[in-house]
Amino acid sequence: MPQIYDLHSHSTASDGALSPTDLVLRAHEYGVTSLALTDHDTVAGLAEAHTTATATGINLIPGIELSTSWQNKCLHIVGLGIDPEYPLLREATRNLQVMRMERAEKIADKLEKKRIPGALEAVKAAAGDGMITRSHFADFLLSQFHVSTQQEAFDRYLGAGKAAFVATTWSDLELAVSWITGSGGVAVLAHPLRYKLTASWMKRLLPAFKEAGGQGIEIITGRYNADEIKTVTGYATRFELAGSVGSDFHNPANPWIELGRLAPLPQSITPVWKLLGNFNQDYL
Ligand code: AMP
Ligand code: MN
Ligand code: MN
Ligand code: MN
């Protein structure tokens, strides 16, 4: 049976549209055999996803996508095969939830100054027990007709330097990687071209990431074209990183990014799943 990996996805535990159960069912429907649920800064969806995965016969890889800071840049690190009970990771997610709530209050204040009231109540209601993200604010702005697309919400209000942007110092990259590796997981640099780093910054970042214990880089994501895949394959080869494959699926309403609809990893690259430990070895 062909194995289809999708090692980056979101549920309602952060800014995804589907509950962990519905996400796992959709992944199964689209032929995914190994799915990593990697919500922003939380492991809260993993237990439910695991239950559904077991019932469905899909291999669930417990994951997280940690927001980190490195040299004043916000970088996302995906942890795969983590232990969600690992105390340092649990403590980190609790702290990140507080940070995200405080940031949300500041974003809402800034929107209020732009004569857009009610954002905090709306994003809290939408996020429920989950992590509040800028996507929740984008949805609110869209629902109130302040913008006509999510992208416009980021371009006008939420993106770096825009009217309602709140600069945040996340966990240090090195520390975040240590929570992942300390819990038995593999740390992967998510969507490496999204940060718009120059080649010389990448040449500083990747050794620092490796030095911290990072082992993988996302080569195939829902958004990369052939040239971009080639660029990241070059980085993986040069810096001896394993390659990961993940859609970064958030919402079925976005037709470009579907679960499991991903190009294969280049043959020359070590797949990151070869580094993952002891989940359901039948699938690995
Ligand atoms: P946060 O982690 O709260 O800063 O929110 C970041 C999330 O917002 C990302 O994970 C994406 O889901 C979403 N996002 C960031 N930039 C954009 C954008 N330009 N358009 C649409 N969604 C975006
Ligand atoms: Mn997101
Ligand atoms: Mn991300
Ligand atoms: Mn993501």
Side-chain angles (χ1 to χ4, degrees):
M1 186 172 127
Q3 298 298 305
I4 299 183
Y5 295 86
D6 192 332
L7 304 183
H8 187 157
S9 69
H10 295 271
S11 76
T12 48
S14 66
D15 57 353
L18 302 182
S19 67
T21 291
D22 288 344
L23 179 81
V24 169
L25 293 177
R26 189 180 182 92
H28 184 60
E29 187 186 327
Y30 279 79
V32 173
T33 50
S34 286
L35 175 75
L37 174 59
T38 56
D39 275 308
H40 296 289
D41 302 323
T42 182
V43 294
L46 293 176
E48 180 186 320
H50 184 71
T51 303
T52 311
T54 306
T56 316
I58 172 171
N59 180 37
L60 183 84
I61 294 165
I64 193 166
E65 181 174 15
L66 286 169
S67 311
T68 78
S69 289
W70 180 79
Q71 305 280 325
N72 282 323
K73 302 168 202 312
C74 174
L75 307 177
H76 286 180
I77 306 297
V78 161
L80 297 174
I82 53 160
D83 172 3
E85 306 293 338
Y86 180 60
L88 292 180
L89 188 61
R90 281 228 97 105
E91 185 189 339
T93 58
R94 278 196 299 272
N95 292 338
L96 283 158
Q97 186 153 28
V98 173
M99 280 173 69
R100 281 185 170 275
M101 183 59 79
E102 289 171 358
R103 180 179 73 145
E105 288 163 3
K106 291 182 192 153
I107 294 174
D109 284 347
K110 289 197 165 189
L111 287 172
E112 190 129 14
K113 293 206 173 75
K114 293 279 160 193
R115 302 213 182 108
I116 302 178
L120 190 62
E121 294 68 29
V123 297
K124 276 186 178 174
D129 295 335
M131 287 287 181
I132 299 179
T133 71
R134 283 183 294 162
S135 304
H136 294 100
F137 281 96
D139 289 343
F140 165 76
L141 291 167
L142 199 53
S143 71
Q144 300 290 304
F145 306 105
H146 294 292
V147 293
S148 45
T149 61
Q150 272 239 352
Q151 185 59 48
E152 190 188 345
F154 282 89
D155 292 346
R156 286 180 54 197
Y157 295 103
L158 303 169
K162 305 299 176 180
F165 179 71
V166 173
T168 308
T169 306
W170 301 103
S171 325
D172 276 349
L173 175 81
E174 291 79 3
L175 200 54
V177 170
S178 78
W179 297 326
I180 293 168
T181 55
S183 84
V186 173
V188 175
L189 179 67
H191 40 63
L193 300 181
R194 184 107 48 99
Y195 316 112
K196 309 245 178 303
L197 299 182
T198 59
S200 71
W201 272 107
M202 289 298 280
K203 285 173 202 156
R204 289 177 61 187
L205 167 61
L206 295 176
F209 175 62
K210 280 194 73 165
E211 179 69 29
Q215 291 181 281
I217 186 167
E218 257 175 22
I219 295 185
I220 311 293
T221 82
R223 299 170 209 235
Y224 287 172
N225 62 35
D227 277 351
E228 291 168 322
I229 291 171
K230 207 167 147 191
T231 300
V232 184
T233 300
Y235 287 127
T237 306
R238 171 158 177 192
F239 294 97
E240 298 178 319
L241 289 161
S244 191
V245 172
S247 61
D248 204 1
F249 176 89
H250 283 72
N251 191 331
N254 181 347
W256 328 115
I257 296 162
E258 187 48 80
L259 288 160
R261 292 287 148 92
L262 291 156
L265 268 180
Q267 292 283 334
S268 60
I269 296 293
T270 303
V272 73
W273 50 87
K274 298 266 190 238
L275 309 181
L276 294 174
N278 38 12
F279 315 92
N280 228 334
Q281 285 292 346
D282 315 344
Y283 284 92
L284 298 177

